[in-house]
Amino acid sequence: MSTVDPPDLALWPTLRNLFPLWWEQRRMVALGLACALVFTGLSLLIPVLIQRTIDRAIDGGEKRLLLPTLAAILVVAALRFAFNFARRYATARVGIAVEARLREKLYDAYLTYPRAFYDRHATGEVISRATNDIYPVRYFIGWGVVQALQSVMMLVGAAIVLTSVNARLALYAALAMPPIAVLTYVFAHKVFPISRAVQARKGHLTEASDEAVVGIEMVQAFGREDDVRARFGTRAEAVRAETMRQAGVESRFLPGLIFLPLLGIAAVLYFGGREAIAGTLTIGQFTLFITLLLQLVWPLEALGWIINLGQRATAAASRGFAWLDGIEPLAERPDPAALPDGPLAVRMEGVRFRYGTGSEVLSGVDLEIEPGEIVAVCGATGAGKTSLLNLVPRFYDPSAGRVLLGGVDSRDLALAGLRRSVALVTQKAVLFSVPLRDNLLAARPDADWEEVLAACEAAGVAAFVDGLPDGYDTLIGERGVNLSGGQRQRVALARALIAGARVIVLDDPMSAVDTETERHLVANLRSAVAGRTVLIAGQRLSTVLVADRALVLRDGRIVESGLPQDLIRAGGAFAELFGDEALAA
Ligand SMILES: Nc1ncnc2c1ncn2[C@@H]1O[C@H](COP(=O)(O)OP(=O)(O)OP(=O)(O)O)[C@@H](O)[C@H]1O
Ligand SMILES: [Mg+2]
């Protein structure tokens, strides 16, 4: 049984996941590294040229050498500029590409995740893991990795140059290195858990802000602003406190990385100065030591930053990869069974169902729906109607028992095929932010327009489409026209009719329309769904009456089944639900 909330990955598994993405960019990485290598070589060359100038032209009096060496230094500096530019460009591209791929992978994965995943995670969290969370990855992969290697090249190069000039002095200069290594190690160790905590807190914050935005109507209507602000404030405070802790560690350790190299310079100043006075070291060589060591300050500091950045990046990536690695889409058989032709029967055998670890919602449902039959699923609110209907398109799998379509276990069918065969109107109609026409055609883009118009007539869309600014071409959704709840439901109903599916699942499809409209819809629905198997959940008798047969869910079981009229007369659970309405009618 796969989990929908796996823990963040540890460091190594994270890197193992990151590596292939980085490797995809190997050509750009190679270009960046080559540029870094040339850049390092040129950087080392400049102090050497300066040393030559001092020793031969200034100290040695060969005045004619001054201009040529100056020219050489200028050329080298210009080349270095060009290579630096190319390196930055190449590495930035790598970072951006890896970030984009990671986002793409997450988003692709999101599309396959089971509904249980979305029950467990807030929208804000899901979105931020694929967006904000992965920015550090871009900077680390893009800039950090190559810069770190360049720092190492610079260190090694400087060590080689200095040792070849004066090994003993080079050793003195290197005395600062062990403490730098210790400092870097301790820093990395301290900052890693904090980086993870910061990332997690940021996730919580996004979650809170998202809830407030999505639910803004209710927040304003019930005057919950203070409450929301307080919730947001608490989480923002947690982010602030954790980030401050991070900044504290950074400010204690990073300056050390600038300070310690200066100890090396001090050592050179003292010991090198003595040798220069004694004449065993030329002024040019002395200057070479000082300039090269000064040039090492930034690469060393950069290493500290990169370790920091690497911690943030891996902390962020570990969250995304945890999902990519740990969450399984609904299992599909490699050799799926095929559905029979013609109208499909729907069967449930001993179906039990619970959400996650919650209490049981369905506890043994047996149900047989003939091909082409219309069955109403009734029950008090919270009885499990929606849960039962959601098993048909396999949004969830039952915890026990089987759901069969056309005699085939739904788990043996290809998911795409199953979903094509089941059209759905959800309890809360969801439309896409595209023109009305495309919403209607969402499930079957090549549907015949005559058929679409007929479905719109039956579903009551035709009744209001003329009032829309652009008729069937009206843009729906946040940036277009916001349809009313009832209009939305009718579009969803028409869309399901147009889908051409052999099974239609209607979850309370008329809850938001007025009784007059409902009567019109009910009158048309039977002929519109002729030959198809229909499950319809309803809270109103007028909706339920469209069915051939009604079932009543109570305590997770079907307690009654029969013709609606008969059930009313029987005076059982069904009559309890709809009795008053029946009397009124
Ligand atoms: N995504 C979910 N995660 C956890 N529990 C859920 C989820 N959806 C529903 N439930 C719980 O399952 C039970 C049945 O809910 P369901 O939505 O199936 O009822 P319903 O009969 O459709 O109600 P209504 O008539 O109000 O639509 C309820 O107790 C509800 O709290
Ligand atoms: Mg429901």
Side-chain angles (χ1 to χ4, degrees):
M1 181 77 191
S2 78
T3 164
V4 288
D5 194 11
D8 298 350
L9 292 190
L11 182 61
W12 279 115
T14 304
L15 294 178
R16 215 174 34 242
N17 273 296
L18 213 44
F19 183 78
L21 294 183
W22 184 72
W23 189 243
E24 282 175 11
Q25 307 300 322
R26 57 188 175 278
R27 283 173 54 189
M28 273 293 146
V29 173
L31 179 64
L33 278 178
C35 290
L37 190 67
V38 177
F39 176 84
T40 307
L42 296 174
S43 298
L44 292 169
L45 190 56
I46 292 177
V48 171
L49 286 172
I50 294 175
Q51 180 236 323
R52 291 283 155 86
T53 321
I54 293 175
D55 282 347
R56 292 181 57 186
I58 301 174
D59 210 25
E62 294 181 58
K63 210 167 118 191
R64 61 184 173 78
L65 282 179
L66 264 181
L67 269 182
T69 25
L70 173 70
I73 288 175
L74 281 178
V75 170
V76 172
L79 279 175
R80 197 175 81 133
F81 169 83
F83 278 97
N84 198 15
F85 169 81
R87 188 212 65 177
R88 279 178 179 269
Y89 179 75
T91 54
R93 271 186 66 142
V94 172
I96 292 166
V98 168
E99 185 197 17
R101 281 283 289 134
L102 184 53
R103 180 164 29 236
E104 194 181 289
K105 275 172 86 96
L106 270 166
Y107 198 76
D108 280 350
Y110 285 170
L111 294 177
T112 69
Y113 285 163
R115 284 276 295 272
F117 168 83
Y118 291 97
D119 291 342
R120 183 71 191 78
H121 299 282
T123 319
E125 188 192 0
V126 175
I127 293 172
S128 83
R129 271 201 198 189
T131 50
N132 295 334
D133 271 21
I134 56 180
Y135 290 152
V137 176
R138 180 209 306 176
Y139 290 113
F140 176 62
I141 298 263
W143 171 76
V145 174
V146 170
Q147 177 64 50
L149 290 170
Q150 183 175 300
S151 288
V152 172
M153 290 179 206
M154 195 69 197
L155 274 173
V156 173
I160 293 171
V161 171
L162 295 182
T163 312
S164 70
V165 171
N166 186 326
R168 195 153 37 90
L169 195 54
L171 198 66
Y172 286 136
L175 283 180
M177 287 301 146
I180 289 178
V182 172
L183 188 76
T184 315
Y185 177 78
V186 176
F187 173 63
H189 205 71
K190 287 224 164 188
V191 86
F192 187 56
I194 304 183
S195 298
R196 286 191 156 223
V198 169
Q199 211 64 43
R201 301 268 146 83
K202 281 186 182 163
H204 292 158
L205 181 67
T206 323
E207 214 176 285
S209 49
D210 179 74
E211 275 169 26
V213 174
V214 172
I216 190 69
E217 274 178 328
M218 288 303 114
V219 171
Q220 292 181 342
F222 291 115
R224 306 292 296 177
E225 290 89 347
D226 288 344
D227 203 45
V228 166
R229 189 179 301 118
R231 238 163 87 77
F232 187 82
T234 316
R235 296 190 176 193
E237 171 56 26
V239 171
R240 193 196 64 84
E242 205 61 47
T243 315
M244 278 308 287
R245 229 152 70 78
Q246 189 178 34
V249 174
E250 281 169 13
S251 55
R252 251 173 295 142
F253 283 88
L254 289 177
L257 292 178
I258 308 179
F259 169 71
L260 288 174
L262 294 182
L263 291 184
I265 295 179
V268 166
L269 206 63
Y270 180 72
F271 296 106
R274 278 168 45 140
E275 291 201 28
I277 293 167
T280 50
L281 191 75
T282 68
I283 296 294
Q285 288 170 333
F286 179 78
T287 316
L288 175 64
F289 264 86
I290 301 287
T291 38
L292 263 188
L293 287 177
L294 279 174
Q295 267 197 42
L296 284 186
V297 174
W298 160 242
L300 284 172
E301 195 199 349
L303 273 183
W305 276 113
I306 292 160
I307 285 168
N308 190 3
L309 189 59
Q311 312 278 24
R312 291 181 194 203
T314 44
S318 74
R319 291 158 57 81
F321 285 128
W323 281 357
L324 285 175
D325 265 19
I327 299 173
E328 304 267 333
L330 277 184
E332 277 190 89
R333 271 182 36 173
D335 53 338
L339 280 171
D341 292 333
L344 294 171
V346 176
R347 243 177 103 90
M348 295 197 182
E349 294 175 356
V351 163
R352 292 172 170 271
F353 178 71
R354 65 175 78 233
Y355 290 97
T357 51
S359 54
E360 206 162 57
V361 176
L362 302 176
S363 23
V365 170
D366 290 292
L367 154 75
E368 169 97 54
I369 302 174
E370 302 292 328
E373 195 184 9
I374 304 178
V375 167
V377 180
C378 313
T381 168
K385 301 183 292 295
T386 299
S387 311
L388 182 117
L389 297 189
N390 278 343
L391 297 178
V392 179
R394 214 184 153 207
F395 284 144
Y396 300 89
D397 281 332
S399 352
R402 307 199 294 164
V403 177
L404 301 112
L405 257 85
V408 187
D409 191 324
S410 63
R411 283 167 295 199
D412 293 340
L413 293 165
L415 203 53
L418 166 66
R419 300 253 164 102
R420 257 199 312 280
S421 307
V422 180
L424 178 73
V425 174
T426 49
Q427 194 158 12
K428 188 170 170 293
V430 178
L431 302 183
F432 302 111
S433 297
V434 295
L436 176 58
R437 182 188 301 271
D438 298 335
N439 264 298
L440 291 166
L441 294 172
R444 195 155 63 97
D446 59 350
D448 189 49
W449 191 244
E450 289 301 313
E451 219 181 301
V452 173
L453 289 179
C456 286
E457 185 58 47
V461 173
F464 67 86
V465 74
D466 291 335
L468 296 176
D470 298 314
Y472 284 103
D473 292 313
T474 307
L475 184 63
I476 307 295
E478 292 195 359
R479 282 175 302 117
V481 172
N482 268 317
L483 297 180
S484 76
Q487 289 172 331
R488 224 185 277 262
Q489 273 189 335
R490 282 180 273 169
V491 175
L493 183 58
R495 178 171 62 191
L497 295 177
I498 294 163
R502 288 179 279 167
V503 177
I504 302 185
V505 173
L506 306 171
D507 193 353
D508 221 350
M510 296 171 226
S511 58
V513 302
D514 59 273
T515 42
E516 178 58 36
T517 310
E518 185 183 22
R519 207 167 332 193
H520 166 84
L521 294 183
V522 169
N524 287 300
L525 201 58
R526 283 194 68 93
S527 58
V529 300
R532 305 192 245 182
T533 313
V534 181
L535 276 95
I536 179 167
Q539 296 280 24
R540 282 191 294 205
L541 183 60
S542 39
T543 305
V544 172
L545 285 177
V546 79
D548 300 317
R549 182 158 60 103
L551 312 168
V552 181
L553 264 180
R554 183 188 271 181
D555 299 329
R557 287 169 199 280
I558 293 173
V559 292
E560 269 185 2
S561 164
L563 277 173
Q565 295 83 345
D566 295 348
L567 291 178
I568 288 284
R569 271 196 297 278
F574 187 86
E576 265 174 51
L577 280 172
F578 300 113
D580 295 348
E581 233 183 301
L583 279 181

